[in-house]
């Protein structure tokens, strides 16, 4: 693939060529240095054509109906004239062998649409690696003309924070579980949520969902004094029946408009971008350090020495750092 | 000071010599490489004599009565046969010129006691630097025989997290403010709090304090499902009158005993120590990188290029990292 120059890919992306878009993403996901170099060149050159989409992050535990929700929302958006790319951050995919969005039967309707584009989570190993590739893919999709980019993640570890830090709006899908409506919101997620949607609000479930909505809203009233910067909106919806989807999208749109007019959107994205640069730098420094053969050999011994009280943590750290300084 | 060898300091510390203890802490706080080296040597050698104290972290916003509280608690502990060292983490001290615990009139009673030792926050610049010095000082104080080490911090930035990650028990002091009992608990602190003490529960304030206690307890019932691993204990006290102090100390003791018996205390401290090593390594890597003259020159330009959309964050990061690789 590296035999084509970056202009080939850029022209393809900007003209909305699906095949070339997919090939570019494959370059981004490749570990080969030549592919990486080409991918960087492409990303830098398409930069002026990015930034025009609404970036929507969606999370929710397995069973919450995430695929159906994204399918329903995506089809609604396409019907309303939008074009929609769906990406995924799933650091578990490398372990489980599976991957969210990898299952071909998922989002069948959306994937057949000309204005829909679905890309499974890259099996990138670390969360940092997966998140990086997804961020780069997001930019490519924007340049290809998608005006809504949805980034989904499973409710695992730090992946929500990674997704929240690359989108304009972060949505948490939940279920109304009678008896314990509040469990299932993971520690820390609320800080990032712009909205909570209680899904499967259909049939016998409607009443339960409305009750859960009240419980959440009351909790957020209380929480907004303690741990939240702003209060997430709470809505109910049924992805299967399609109810509540338009209402939810209007909340996203309204928020986007508000942030756009006030200039907060640009600030938010700039803060995300600069933070992203720092993250990449620091990941790079750590990767290089911890992959040094001598560090790899010394580290386990130092950790067991710390745990046995044979060496102070600061001495262990300075030994490693000083050792590396000497070898450089 | 570097003319004495480490054995001089170690013998002094282990025999409880105050003057030598204070001189050792001055070594720890010094930026001179010879002092740093000597301090490291001392810390590593006294390591077998550390770990025997109860490490108590205390935070609270200005006005909450933190000094009076620590004075009252410290005098109570000394009367009960303990010896108490009080340290401080205050990264604001370098900016304000002042420092918590620096004011000589603070904790006058405690500082005059033979079994009390008070050390102001080092003016270490960064939080990381101040926290590092305080951690090392904590170990030295333990080796000197103090069986309670109190680490206090002001409610600023990340300093609570730094303190919570070096103690066995983390206490948040609060006030009963009619009307908005919940404000004042900073986002994220609750995650680390083992107990909340509502201070100034005296005179006309008793009723208000008890009401606030109920409000907090109800909020924690709700929060424990959402954002907390465990529910902090809530108590009231009056540092001026001395009421509630014994009760609070019994909670600390009980917790310490429980963690000790179950083995959780050792695990908690080992996790803290290993995390500390990693923090120091990563701080060291970053410090070295960001202090490289070329990086210092390139970074501001790259940030403004990112913000103006002239360069992608990943390219900026790789440019810097790659640049450094070439020069090493």
């Amino acid at each position: 693939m590296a035999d084509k120059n970056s202009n080939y890919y850029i022209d393809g992306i900007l003209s909305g060529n699906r095949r070339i878009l997919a090939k570019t993403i494959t370059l981004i996901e490749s570990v080969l240095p030549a592919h990486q170099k080409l991918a960087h060149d492409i990303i830098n050159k398409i930069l002026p054509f990015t930034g025009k989409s609404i970036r929507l992050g969606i999370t929710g535990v397995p069973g919450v109906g995430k695929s159906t929700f994204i399918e329903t929302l995506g089809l609604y958006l396409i019907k309303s004239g939008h074009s929609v790319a769906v990406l995924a951050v799933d650091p578990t995919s490398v372990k489980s062998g599976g991957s969210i969005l990898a299952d071909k039967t998922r989002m069948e309707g959306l994937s057949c649409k000309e204005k829909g584009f679905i890309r499974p989570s890259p099996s990138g190993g670390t969360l940092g690696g997966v998140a990086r590739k997804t961020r780069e893919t997001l930019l490519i999709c924007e340049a290809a003309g998608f005006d809504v980019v949805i980034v989904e993640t499973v409710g695992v570890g730090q992946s929500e924070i990674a997704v929240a830090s690359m989108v304009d709006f972060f949505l948490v899908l939940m279920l109304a579980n009678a008896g314990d409506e509040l469990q299932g919101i993971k520690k820390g997620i609320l800080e990032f949520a712009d909205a909570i949607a209680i899904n499967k609000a259909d049939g016998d479930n409607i009443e339960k969902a409305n009750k859960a909505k009240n419980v959440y809203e009351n909790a957020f009233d209380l929480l907004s004094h303690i741990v939240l910067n702003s209060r997430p909106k709470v809505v109910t919806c049924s992805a299967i029946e399609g109810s509540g989807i338009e209402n939810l999208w209007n909340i996203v749109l309204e928020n986007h408009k508000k942030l756009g007019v006030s200039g907060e959107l640009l600030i938010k994205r700039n803060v995300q971008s600069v933070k992203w640069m720092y993250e990449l730098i620091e990941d790079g420094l750590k990767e290089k350090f911890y992959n040094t053969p001598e560090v790899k050999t010394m580290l386990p011994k130092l950790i067991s020495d710390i745990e046995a009280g044979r060496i102070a943590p600061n001495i262990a750290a300075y030994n490693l750092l000083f050792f590396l300084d000497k070898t450089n």
Side-chain angles (χ1 to χ4, degrees), chain A:
Chain A
M1 280 194 292
D3 56 332
K4 310 275 190 202
N5 70 17
S6 59
N7 288 333
Y8 164 81
Y9 292 97
I10 291 160
D11 292 345
I13 293 163
L14 294 180
S15 66
N17 182 318
R18 288 307 181 85
R19 205 173 47 81
I20 296 181
L21 173 63
K23 278 172 79 175
T24 312
I25 298 173
T26 305
L27 280 181
I28 290 173
E29 294 174 356
S30 166
V31 292
L32 292 180
H35 290 176
Q36 285 291 312
K37 202 174 164 299
L38 186 54
H40 285 174
D41 196 27
I42 296 166
I43 290 161
N44 220 21
K45 285 182 181 158
I46 54 103
L47 209 56
F49 306 96
T50 65
K52 285 166 206 150
S53 82
I54 295 180
R55 302 167 181 175
L56 172 63
I58 298 180
T59 190
V61 292
V64 79
K66 209 157 58 251
S67 309
T68 311
F69 178 87
I70 293 172
E71 165 104 350
T72 303
L73 175 64
L75 290 173
Y76 164 77
L77 291 174
I78 289 172
K79 216 156 96 190
S80 315
H82 293 286
S83 54
V84 182
V86 183
L87 314 175
V89 172
D90 178 10
T92 64
S93 64
V94 78
K95 280 189 200 150
S96 64
S99 163
I100 52 173
L101 287 175
D103 183 352
K104 289 286 176 198
T105 62
R106 286 185 68 215
M107 306 183 196
E108 219 170 300
L110 189 56
S111 61
C112 295
K113 291 281 172 188
E114 200 198 323
K115 299 215 155 192
F117 178 79
I118 294 182
R119 183 80 185 191
S121 179
S123 49
T126 65
L127 173 61
V130 173
R132 178 183 61 72
K133 290 166 192 174
T134 307
R135 276 178 196 273
E136 294 178 2
T137 303
L138 185 153
L139 295 175
I140 300 289
C141 288
E142 281 187 342
F146 292 98
D147 63 357
V148 179
V149 180
I150 295 174
V151 185
E152 76 157 311
T153 184
V154 288
V156 171
Q158 302 284 301
S159 63
E160 282 94 351
I161 297 170
V163 170
S165 69
M166 66 177 87
V167 297
D168 306 323
F169 194 100
F170 192 60
L171 172 68
V172 180
L173 291 183
M174 308 214 58
L175 290 178
N177 287 320
D180 204 347
E181 289 83 359
L182 293 170
Q183 283 193 341
I185 309 195
K186 256 184 47 197
K187 224 171 76 180
I189 291 195
L190 289 176
E191 216 180 291
F192 303 101
D194 295 295
I196 309 283
I198 299 158
N199 193 23
K200 303 193 183 176
D202 38 42
D204 294 348
N205 246 323
I206 294 182
E207 205 184 323
K208 261 201 280 182
N210 285 331
K211 265 193 196 157
K213 179 173 180 283
N214 284 335
V215 172
Y216 283 123
E217 281 176 339
N218 289 337
F220 292 151
D221 277 343
L222 196 55
L223 282 161
S224 63
H225 293 295
I226 311 181
V227 286
L228 300 175
N229 282 324
S230 64
R231 195 175 319 193
K233 289 261 190 345
V234 185
V235 299
T236 62
C237 66
S238 164
I240 284 183
E241 295 190 347
S243 59
I245 301 293
E246 185 170 358
N247 176 40
L248 183 57
W249 181 248
N250 284 335
I251 291 172
V252 175
L253 273 185
E254 212 171 282
N255 181 73
H256 207 76
K257 203 174 156 189
K258 209 188 89 202
L259 293 183
V261 168
S262 67
E264 287 167 275
L265 186 66
L266 184 64
I267 293 169
K268 183 175 184 169
R269 287 179 170 183
N270 275 345
V271 168
Q272 288 176 341
S273 292
V274 172
K275 226 178 132 189
W276 180 21
M277 181 203 67
Y278 278 111
E279 274 173 33
L280 288 172
I281 288 175
E282 283 149 29
D283 285 353
L285 292 174
K286 282 194 262 180
E287 199 186 316
K288 195 185 158 201
F289 181 79
Y290 292 119
N291 281 323
T292 311
E294 295 82 357
V295 172
K296 272 184 162 170
T297 311
M298 289 165 75
L299 195 58
K301 170 86 173 72
L302 285 171
I303 288 173
S304 63
D305 282 350
I306 287 173
E307 289 178 345
R310 283 189 296 264
I311 191 169
N314 54 339
I315 316 290
Y318 293 128
N319 281 357
L320 279 175
L321 288 169
F322 182 66
F323 174 81
L324 218 75
D325 272 349
K326 280 193 302 185
T327 60
N328 268 339

